């Protein structure tokens, strides 16, 4: 059996090369080939000895999930549907903006959390994605965007990029040299930010998510800063602590309600990890977070959680936790049973929070014409939990 190198984080790859009797810097070279250059053919890794290339071809492989479909929304948002086998497919979405490009990555085929307003939740759950399938999303999209960039640019652009790529590929650039060549500044990169906000609950797939995070952060792979990688969680308390201890990145928590009674209705896992426990975990996280605030996500559901009174309750709830709010206008899907709050209601809600000194942004709805907006990613899930059929029975009863 060949080892899929996409599934190995920097430490594991170093171990793999040690077992082959190779020097540690070989692992770094291969990281760069695989993740920076998007190369999957060992024969083309020109700075590796021929013998090593042959050994690798026999013992290893670079296999991303298979691309099923690519779609582009009118606003430039792009979505890739990737086949992860056995009838399951997951989605990854790229959101280009003037000063950054954000990739939204999925971590599970489906989700067990069953949040009432989320279409992934309605799809049921099949399995955790592997590290190779998680990082494979970044691998695919970087490659696709680089190729598109090359096609669209002029020969002068291409020459400059080739030079930068060459410089990036030199073993260890002198401090500042890479910067001068424009390769390590995150904001210059096509994908400058990653958010784990696609399908699934990342903290329930911790063992595969953390190695993928390590690849995102590694200098020789995607070289993203911890502040530009955001993990969004429904609030799995013990795992928030583990993330803090093992691989802290920016943290977003899906709050959606200011009290346990309402939150438990919208986000069933609140029964297990109620608000007080989630907020205490947020306080602990801030001790080691690369960002000095937690982002609280709050989906705006018309007439459900969007009154000015709810906003006031939120203010007292989050007292003492340094945070920012991100209001997400609800994105509809068939039979959701919810409506999006009006722009006026969202503005009034925001106003109350802002007045209390809480920085509050309203998420722009991007890519909704290709179902690429939050909570619309449905992918294709062979539900093993039978949630979908249970739901149909319940609603027809
Ligand atoms: N499991 C993680 C990631 C989920 S997706 C989490 O719960 O945070 C990222 C965000 O989109 C979450 O805040 C989620 O609650 C929100 N979301 C889900 N469905 C939505 C919908 N239909 N409209 C708007 N936001 C939605």
């Amino acid at each position: 059996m060949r080892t899929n190198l996409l599934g190995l984080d920097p430490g594991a790859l170093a171990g793999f090369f040690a077992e082959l009797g190779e020097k540690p810097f070989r692992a770094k070279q291969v990281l760069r080939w695989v993740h920076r250059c998007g190369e999957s053919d060992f024969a083309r890794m020109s700075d590796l000895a021929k013998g090593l290339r042959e050994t690798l071809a026999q013992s290893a492989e670079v296999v991303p999930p298979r691309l099923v479909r690519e779609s582009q929304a009118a606003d430039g948002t792009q979505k890739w549907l990737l086949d992860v086998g056995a009838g399951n497919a997951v989605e990854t979405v790229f959101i280009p903006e003037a000063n950054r490009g954000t990739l939204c990555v999925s971590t599970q085929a489906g989700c067990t959390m069953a949040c009432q307003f989320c279409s992934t939740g309605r799809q049921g759950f099949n399995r955790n994605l592997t590290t190779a399938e998680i990082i494979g999303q970044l691998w695919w999209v970087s490659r696709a965007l680089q190729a598109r960039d090359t096609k669209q640019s002029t020969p002068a652009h291409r020459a400059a990029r080739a030079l930068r790529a060459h410089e990036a590929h030199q073993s260890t650039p002198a401090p500042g040299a890479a910067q001068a060549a424009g390769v390590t500044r995150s904001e210059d990169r096509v994908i400058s930010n990653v958010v784990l906000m696609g399908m699934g609950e990342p903290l329930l797939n911790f063992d595969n998510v953390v190695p993928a995070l390590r690849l995102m952060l590694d200098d020789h792979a995607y070289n993203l800063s911890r502040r530009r990688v955001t993990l969004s969680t429904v609030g799995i308390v013990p795992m928030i602590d583990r993330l803090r201890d093992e691989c802290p990145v920016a943290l977003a928590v899906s709050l959606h309600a200011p009290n346990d009674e309402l939150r438990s209705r919208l986000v069933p896992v609140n029964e297990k990890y109620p608000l007080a426990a989630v907020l205490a975990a947020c306080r602990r996280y801030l001790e080691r977070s690369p960002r000095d605030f937690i982002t609280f996500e709050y989906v705006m559901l018309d007439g459900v959680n969007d009154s000015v009174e709810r906003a006031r309750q939120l203010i007292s709830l989050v007292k003492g936790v340094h945070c920012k709010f991100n209001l997400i206008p609800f994105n509809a899907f068939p039979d959701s049973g919810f409506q999006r709050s009006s722009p006026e209601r969202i503005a009034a809600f925001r106003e109350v929070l802002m007045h209390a000194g809480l920085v509050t942004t309203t998420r722009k709805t991007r890519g909704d014409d290709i179902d690429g907006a939050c909570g619309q990613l449905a992918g294709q899930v062979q539900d093993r939990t039978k949630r979908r059929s249970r739901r149909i029975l319940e609603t027809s009863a």
Side-chain angles (χ1 to χ4, degrees):
M1 241 283 285
R2 297 203 184 106
T3 305
N4 186 0
L5 299 190
L6 273 187
L8 302 186
D9 72 4
L13 195 66
F16 179 83
F17 278 93
E19 262 177 39
L20 293 179
E22 294 285 342
K23 297 255 162 53
F25 78 94
R26 294 291 176 206
K28 292 180 181 156
Q29 281 179 304
V30 169
L31 272 179
R32 285 201 296 266
W33 275 114
V34 172
H35 297 285
R36 275 207 201 166
C37 308
E39 186 55 77
S40 54
D41 182 355
F42 299 116
R44 284 206 282 260
M45 302 188 178
S46 51
D47 55 1
L48 302 182
K50 199 145 175 278
L52 176 58
R53 281 185 253 167
E54 279 158 15
T55 310
L56 287 174
Q58 312 234 314
S59 57
E61 58 188 1
V62 178
V63 185
R66 192 176 64 84
L67 178 64
V68 181
R69 192 169 55 236
E70 189 181 331
S71 31
Q72 178 148 11
D75 64 10
T77 300
Q78 266 178 284
K79 188 169 87 166
W80 286 262
L81 185 69
L82 301 171
D83 177 13
V84 293
N88 294 295
V90 296
E91 292 175 305
T92 186
V93 180
F94 179 67
I95 307 150
E97 286 173 287
N99 54 351
R100 62 179 172 194
T102 304
L103 187 70
C104 178
V105 165
S106 295
T107 55
Q108 297 182 313
C111 189
T112 55
M113 293 292 91
C115 298
Q116 290 301 296
F117 48 82
C118 178
S119 84
T120 303
R122 295 275 174 96
Q123 291 268 311
F125 176 74
N126 188 274
R127 67 172 172 85
N128 283 331
L129 297 187
T130 62
T131 298
E133 288 163 343
I134 299 168
I135 207 67
Q137 298 168 56
L138 197 47
W139 187 89
W140 249 117
V141 176
S142 326
R143 239 171 79 119
L145 296 176
Q146 271 170 24
R148 190 187 58 189
D149 236 29
T150 314
K151 232 169 59 197
Q152 284 174 354
S153 60
T154 63
H157 277 127
R158 282 201 293 276
R161 207 174 3 254
L163 180 68
R164 289 209 303 263
H166 174 73
E167 273 159 335
H169 207 74
Q170 301 299 303
S171 2
T172 317
Q179 221 115 2
V183 288
T184 56
R185 287 178 47 204
S186 309
E187 62 273 28
D188 287 348
R189 245 145 322 109
V190 195
I191 299 174
S192 61
N193 296 56
V194 172
V195 292
L196 272 57
M197 291 185 187
M199 298 168 69
E201 170 48 48
L203 292 186
L204 291 178
N205 185 14
F206 192 87
D207 292 345
N208 295 335
V209 163
V210 166
L213 290 176
R214 294 209 166 103
L215 284 166
M216 292 174 199
L217 302 172
D218 192 89
D219 296 358
H220 300 282
Y222 298 93
N223 195 23
L224 292 166
S225 109
R226 284 183 191 275
R227 301 153 55 83
R228 288 175 176 269
V229 176
T230 302
L231 182 146
S232 174
T233 178
V234 70
I236 311 294
V237 168
M239 292 306 187
I240 294 179
D241 289 329
R242 270 191 76 188
L243 187 70
R244 176 196 70 162
D245 295 339
E246 295 179 32
C247 190
V249 291
L251 187 70
V253 175
S254 295
L255 221 46
H256 306 321
N259 61 58
D260 284 321
E261 191 267 322
L262 178 59
R263 191 166 191 264
S264 293
R265 270 199 281 144
L266 297 174
V267 179
V269 78
N270 188 68
E271 297 277 358
K272 189 160 178 196
Y273 303 117
L275 280 167
V278 171
L279 289 160
C282 290
R283 280 193 201 91
R284 294 193 293 275
Y285 197 86
L286 283 170
E287 293 162 10
R288 299 221 189 130
S289 170
R291 289 264 189 204
D292 64 356
F293 59 89
I294 304 280
T295 302
F296 288 129
E297 295 160 284
Y298 196 97
V299 61
M300 297 300 287
L301 302 166
D302 188 42
V304 175
N305 64 352
D306 65 344
S307 68
V308 159
E309 184 46 35
R310 300 287 194 208
R312 292 206 185 97
Q313 289 172 9
L314 266 184
I315 296 166
S316 25
L317 178 77
V318 302
K319 215 162 244 154
V321 180
H322 200 220
C323 62
K324 292 187 183 177
F325 271 88
N326 192 214
L327 307 180
I328 317 176
F330 169 65
N331 293 308
F333 53 89
D335 304 322
S336 75
F338 293 102
Q339 305 279 324
R340 177 184 294 183
S341 309
S342 67
E344 295 73 31
R345 268 179 97 84
I346 298 177
F349 195 93
R350 177 167 178 261
E351 193 51 42
V352 175
L353 297 178
M354 294 283 278
H355 193 73
L358 295 166
V359 174
T360 306
T361 49
T362 305
R363 195 174 291 179
K364 265 190 280 163
T365 295
R366 300 282 307 256
D368 53 350
D369 54 336
I370 52 167
D371 283 349
C374 306
Q376 288 183 320
L377 300 186
Q380 217 171 294
V381 179
Q382 302 303 314
D383 183 19
R384 290 197 298 127
T385 60
K386 304 280 178 285
R387 184 182 313 138
R388 232 173 327 176
S389 34
R390 276 207 312 267
R391 213 187 146 78
I392 293 164
L393 285 176
E394 280 163 18
T395 46
S396 60

